[in-house]
Amino acid sequence: MSRHDNNRYRDRSPVTLWAPDAGHPDAIGLRSIGFWLYMMSDAMIFAALFAAHGVYTHAYGTSDITASQVIDPVEGLLPTLFLFTSVLMYGLASVALKNDDRAGVVRWMGASLGLGVLFLLVEVWEFAGLVGEGAVPQASAFLSDFWTIVWVHGGHVFVGLIWMAAMLIQISREGFTETVVGRFINLRIFWFFQAVIWVCVYTYVYLMGAS
Amino acid sequence: MAHDEHNPLTHPEVRSASSAMYIAAFVLGIVAMGIACLVTVGFDLSQSDTLTWITVLAVIAGLGQLFLLFKLDLSKTMIWHTVSLVLTVPLFFMAVGLTIWMFHYLALRTMVGG
């Protein structure tokens, strides 16, 4: 029996478990599709919240506070403007990344961060007003649902802002390494996704609530 | 997804960044939401007409953002992003629609109030 026969139990020749010339794995692409799939599962969390909103839209219980009293679509345009502009600024940071412009990335991402903070401040101001009117989450099923949807989205924005601040530090310190660029692309997915979800929140909660 | 392995800035997802498309997404989103707000508070439409209009505008804004911001297409770089979204969207609408449908008939049969 030869040393390299087909009987693997007896064959003691070295086994190659990978192809040495397979090339560099596409780490950025793999991270991107992995994070994108996570965002798809995140979208299903919002599906559950929108489903609850559909059920509780007019569930006021013993509360005399209705949706049209607490929701102002025109007032809701201000955070819409801040969030969409923040997304635009992040897009311009992406263009600066493409052009290998570190100062440009930091400048546009800083603007995006600032506008994201303004978005949250407007939301806080709006809901502080609701508290003053007694429209707290525990007042009715509708209000608990309204607070939850808006603030789950707001929580996403808050996490995105922390991530953005961390990215600013990493880009300033490390430059455009493969790891940093991969994180930048994932944050771009996360941040742009917040604009798409906000279209649903503004339409389904603010506009439908007032119509 | 071939790119220069030593320079992450040559990756297709980095190269896909485009000022024109980001600005177009911004304008589309703002205009669509502005018109939807105007339709809701500025016109004396029936509730069903209002819902139809703002839903159409939201779909336009959402699809526009998905295409212009994420660059979703059938290219080698993005095809699996696109496929996973196409498979998730029906689940999203089924989860929302079927839940509302179930609780609508539950409320009718049990007379459960809010």
Side-chain angles (χ1 to χ4, degrees):
Chain A
M1 191 177 289
S2 69
R3 187 165 177 267
H4 295 286
D5 65 8
N6 290 329
N7 186 342
R8 296 293 178 184
Y9 291 106
R10 292 174 181 274
D11 187 354
R12 302 294 184 199
S13 60
V15 176
T16 303
L17 296 178
W18 67 90
D21 57 349
H24 185 68
D26 181 9
I28 293 175
L30 284 172
R31 287 179 180 183
S32 168
I33 186 63
F35 192 75
W36 176 261
L37 293 175
Y38 166 72
M39 294 315 297
M40 293 300 98
S41 64
D42 197 28
M44 295 309 294
I45 291 177
F46 282 99
L49 293 172
F50 288 133
H53 183 68
V55 173
Y56 293 130
T57 302
H58 301 294
Y60 304 127
T62 56
S63 170
D64 56 359
I65 300 172
T66 63
S68 58
Q69 286 177 300
V70 296
I71 293 173
D72 184 348
V74 179
E75 204 173 81
L77 277 178
L78 189 60
T80 306
L81 179 66
F82 284 142
L83 186 61
F84 286 5
T85 311
S86 174
V87 164
L88 173 62
M89 295 298 114
Y90 199 97
L92 296 178
S94 299
V95 175
L97 174 74
K98 177 182 167 183
N99 296 330
D100 198 9
D101 175 8
R102 197 194 295 198
V105 170
V106 170
R107 183 172 62 246
W108 290 118
M109 199 187 267
S112 181
L113 178 70
L115 286 158
V117 170
L118 282 177
F119 170 86
L120 279 185
L121 289 176
V122 169
E123 292 284 276
V124 168
W125 173 72
E126 178 189 345
F127 279 79
L130 294 186
V131 171
E133 297 168 12
V136 290
Q138 56 270 36
S140 71
F142 158 72
L143 281 167
S144 57
D145 161 75
F146 177 57
W147 277 75
T148 303
I149 285 186
V150 173
W151 283 107
V152 167
H153 180 269
H156 279 73
V157 171
F158 182 69
V159 169
L161 293 175
I162 292 174
W163 190 354
M164 220 180 281
M167 283 300 312
L168 279 171
I169 295 168
Q170 286 189 342
I171 288 170
S172 301
R173 281 185 179 172
E174 301 172 29
F176 299 138
T177 64
E178 184 178 62
T179 303
V180 168
V181 171
R183 288 171 186 158
F184 181 95
I185 295 293
N186 284 351
L187 177 55
R188 186 172 75 182
I189 290 172
F190 184 83
W191 201 241
F192 288 177
F193 188 75
Q194 303 316 314
V196 178
I197 289 294
W198 183 256
V199 167
C200 301
V201 172
Y202 183 68
T203 302
Y204 198 49
V205 177
Y206 281 79
L207 296 181
M208 286 191 183
S211 66
Chain B
M1 292 186 211
H3 64 282
D4 179 0
E5 64 191 52
H6 302 297
N7 184 2
L9 299 188
T10 60
H11 192 275
E13 290 191 55
V14 175
R15 306 313 302 170
S16 69
S18 160
S19 300
M21 294 183 89
Y22 295 140
I23 292 169
F26 170 77
V27 172
L28 180 68
I30 288 294
V31 169
M33 293 299 95
I35 294 174
C37 180
L38 191 64
V39 166
T40 305
V41 300
F43 292 108
D44 191 22
L45 298 176
S46 67
Q47 190 178 39
S48 63
D49 284 348
T50 304
L51 294 183
T52 303
W53 274 107
I54 63 177
T55 301
V56 168
L57 288 161
V59 169
I60 291 171
L63 288 179
Q65 285 182 332
L66 287 171
F67 175 72
L68 295 166
L69 293 177
F70 296 105
K71 308 285 173 61
L72 292 178
D73 54 27
L74 300 180
S75 66
K76 195 175 178 183
T77 305
M78 296 306 291
I79 185 167
W80 289 109
H81 293 71
T82 308
V83 169
S84 58
L85 178 77
V86 168
L87 294 174
T88 303
V89 166
L91 301 180
F92 185 94
F93 286 105
M94 282 167 63
V96 176
L98 292 176
T99 303
I100 294 172
W101 176 75
M102 283 188 292
F103 278 87
H104 173 71
Y105 284 100
L106 176 70
L108 286 182
R109 289 175 181 174
T110 59
M111 302 296 285
V112 173

